[in-house]
Amino acid sequence: MAISRSTYGTRRLAIVLFACLLVALFLLPSQSQRLLQYVGGPLGQVLSLPLAAFSSLDHGLADMWNGYVALQGVHEENRQLHRDIELLKGQNNQLRESLTAVQRYEALLNFKQQLPSQTLAAQVIGRDATNWYRGMILNKGENDGVRTEMGVITPAGVVGRVVKTNSTSSVVLLVTDPNNAIAGVVQRTRDEGIVEGTSHGRARLKYIPLLSRVQAGDRVVTSGLTGTFPRGLAIGSLIQVEKSEGDLFQSAEIEPEVDLSKLDEVLIITAPFEDADAAQKLLQAIHGDRKKP
Amino acid sequence: MKFLLYLLLALVVVPLQTTLLHYGGLFGIRPDLGLVAACLVGFLGGELDGLILGLLLGCFQDMLSAGDLWINVVTKGGSGFLAGLAGRHMAHITPAVMTAGLAIISCLSSAVFLYSMNPAGLDEVWLGVRSTVLVQAGLDAAVGGGLFLLFRQRWSGDRMVTEGAL
């Protein structure tokens, strides 16, 4: 009986406290909020432990579901993505190659526009068929107006001269071949000589006058004395000057300006000195004037 | 028919030699596939086959080389013919014999090239031998020996009698 009376009293006390809390919440909202926060601080900390545990369990389950159970189509998707990546890599390489080709063509075009000579762009399609000549094969031939003895250049300098042609291709003997000879001049001292290839894959300026003061580092350019190249195209730089006692001339080894092992496009000089049409008109004008009384 | 086959072979070998083969060179020297093909056919098919294929290959190679127009015709034709003569006097052609024969013929062919270059002195001759002749002979022998090993089962070591078939 005493127990039931005590329970009744406790219930009544609890109801009164709850009613007071409600009244306090409605009548004094900010103070009651502060009080609740003060009381809820430690409770929140206690609650955070099981909350974290359940949360990690939930994440674990979700990961397990997403990582193992729900992965039925991922393998195929992965293969497809790999295929896509390979395809995109290929396309990327092609675009890079196209970009470098465009840059090369742009440089070649700019150089072509600056040249006073008439030139024809050509692609390198092969190397000499034997090991005994330093030559390369171009994709332009007699049908395009290419003839033997025409000079071949790049924006960097002299490449060589055409030695053979057929209807669709031509063979160029490089400046580094011992059978090649080009008239050159040392840019600083204006000493002339003949540039020939050597067995070591370089070139040599021969017949430099004994009293010449040429030195390593001097640049050699075409002299324009032969009909193949116009004046002033770079051939290379002197790397070693040789002067033997008793010789009538000096000679010097040249490092070619053009990297002949990495050529893709070149220009063939079809009319070396100036515009052929303009030259023709000039000649006609001169002859016409002479004919006049 | 065989002539057409050789023509086709020449049309494949020479462009291959001028375009893709520089990837497979050693010290800047490439094997001479034309010489190897002419010698292989000469060894196995007889001197006439070797001569005809060699002439075809030499003609095409001369068109795509900066050298004189006769030199490849003479050397490749001669190499094929010589290989045919050598093969005729051998009972069994083994890979070792093929390799040694190719090396010798390659050296002889290169000697003609070297002579045609008009070397200034013994130094240049020795330089040519050291840097080109010997390297090319080694490469030609290796490629020829390898190809012979590859095709030996098909040809079963017997010489093909083909002079009449041409």
Side-chain angles (χ1 to χ4, degrees):
Chain A
M1 190 68 187
I3 292 169
S4 69
R5 199 180 293 146
S6 168
T7 307
Y8 177 74
T10 308
R11 189 182 296 162
R12 224 174 32 173
L13 181 65
I15 289 168
V16 169
L17 280 176
F18 182 67
C20 289
L21 184 66
L22 282 177
V23 170
L25 277 173
F26 281 108
L27 293 180
L28 300 165
S30 59
Q31 287 85 350
S32 58
Q33 285 292 326
R34 207 174 300 130
L35 179 69
L36 282 175
Q37 272 182 0
Y38 182 74
V39 175
L43 283 177
Q45 280 187 356
V46 174
L47 193 63
S48 66
L49 293 172
L51 192 65
F54 278 106
S55 174
S56 65
L57 184 64
D58 180 40
H59 282 130
L61 284 172
D63 286 347
M64 193 183 291
W65 178 263
N66 292 328
Y68 299 98
V69 182
L71 285 182
Q72 288 175 355
V74 169
H75 182 61
E76 184 55 36
E77 190 183 349
N78 192 29
R79 284 177 58 185
Q80 181 62 40
L81 286 173
H82 273 291
R83 277 199 293 267
D84 289 349
I85 286 171
E86 293 302 318
L87 187 72
L88 289 170
K89 274 184 182 173
Q91 285 178 349
N92 195 22
N93 282 337
Q94 283 177 353
L95 287 172
R96 280 172 192 271
E97 189 62 25
S98 300
L99 181 68
T100 53
V102 165
Q103 285 168 345
R104 283 201 312 266
Y105 289 138
E106 201 176 357
L108 207 63
L109 189 64
N110 287 338
F111 179 65
K112 188 179 174 178
Q113 284 166 351
Q114 288 166 10
L115 268 179
S117 317
Q118 275 188 347
T119 54
L120 174 72
Q123 267 190 321
V124 179
I125 54 171
R127 299 279 159 185
D128 194 284
T130 69
N131 290 315
W132 291 95
Y133 298 94
R134 292 194 180 89
M136 61 187 189
I137 304 159
L138 304 182
N139 70 339
K140 295 287 167 65
E142 286 170 0
N143 290 349
D144 306 288
V146 181
R147 300 286 181 270
T148 55
E149 297 302 323
M150 284 181 172
V152 179
I153 56 173
T154 68
V158 173
V159 172
R161 62 188 173 89
V162 177
V163 290
K164 268 183 198 169
T165 56
N166 58 51
S167 58
T168 56
S169 64
S170 51
V171 180
V172 177
L173 191 66
L174 300 179
V175 71
T176 51
D177 190 284
N179 298 297
N180 213 343
I182 295 167
V185 59
V186 179
Q187 206 167 34
R188 185 177 61 85
T189 62
R190 309 311 296 173
D191 290 310
E192 291 176 355
I194 301 293
V195 178
E196 290 181 0
T198 67
S199 312
H200 304 286
R202 286 186 174 144
R204 177 173 288 277
L205 181 66
K206 295 169 88 171
Y207 310 118
I208 309 169
L210 264 183
L211 297 177
S212 168
R213 291 178 181 176
V214 293
Q215 60 190 33
D218 283 348
R219 281 167 62 85
V220 180
V221 296
T222 52
S223 68
L225 290 179
T226 56
T228 311
F229 297 99
R231 181 190 295 267
L233 291 173
I235 296 175
S237 301
L238 300 184
I239 50 174
Q240 190 182 0
V241 181
E242 288 174 14
K243 189 189 293 183
S244 302
E245 201 171 329
D247 283 354
L248 294 175
F249 298 98
Q250 301 179 72
S251 66
E253 201 166 3
I254 299 173
E255 180 72 44
E257 201 75 25
V258 181
D259 187 353
L260 299 166
S261 63
K262 293 172 184 168
L263 282 176
D264 288 320
E265 296 92 17
V266 293
L267 291 174
I268 304 169
I269 302 174
T270 52
F273 293 109
E274 54 194 280
D275 187 0
D277 293 336
Q280 192 69 27
K281 282 175 188 170
L282 186 66
L283 281 171
Q284 280 175 357
I286 291 167
H287 289 305
D289 286 345
R290 280 180 186 169
K291 281 176 188 171
K292 283 178 186 173
Chain B
M1 182 62 191
K2 192 163 275 187
F3 181 80
L4 285 176
L5 192 69
Y6 289 157
L7 185 65
L8 194 68
L9 184 65
L11 286 173
V12 170
V13 166
V14 176
L16 189 68
Q17 174 84 28
T18 55
T19 53
L20 295 176
L21 209 65
H22 60 270
Y23 293 113
L26 190 67
F27 307 122
I29 304 294
R30 302 159 294 171
D32 191 339
L33 289 188
L35 184 111
V36 171
C39 287
L40 278 175
V41 169
F43 266 123
L44 300 166
E47 55 264 42
L48 189 57
D49 282 34
L51 177 67
I52 287 171
L53 181 62
L55 290 175
L56 276 172
L57 285 163
C59 188
F60 287 138
Q61 281 191 314
D62 272 336
M63 288 169 67
L64 298 177
S65 169
D68 296 330
L69 277 171
W70 59 269
I71 192 156
N72 275 297
V73 171
V74 169
T75 52
K76 300 301 181 297
S79 299
F81 185 76
L82 202 61
L85 275 181
R88 184 178 286 278
H89 293 92
M90 290 175 192
H92 296 290
I93 300 174
T94 61
V97 168
M98 176 66 77
T99 306
L102 262 167
I104 291 167
I105 292 174
S106 175
C107 284
L108 290 174
S109 168
S110 294
V112 177
F113 272 97
L114 193 57
Y115 177 75
S116 78
M117 304 284 284
N118 294 323
L122 272 178
D123 285 347
E124 278 200 18
V125 172
W126 174 235
L127 181 68
V129 168
R130 206 161 25 115
S131 63
T132 309
V133 176
L134 293 178
V135 180
Q136 187 177 323
L139 285 170
D140 290 347
V143 171
L147 285 174
F148 179 70
L149 273 175
L150 204 65
F151 293 117
R152 186 168 60 164
Q153 289 174 342
R154 177 163 168 75
W155 283 343
S156 68
D158 294 330
R159 288 171 54 77
M160 296 183 295
V161 181
T162 56
E163 280 81 354
L166 285 163

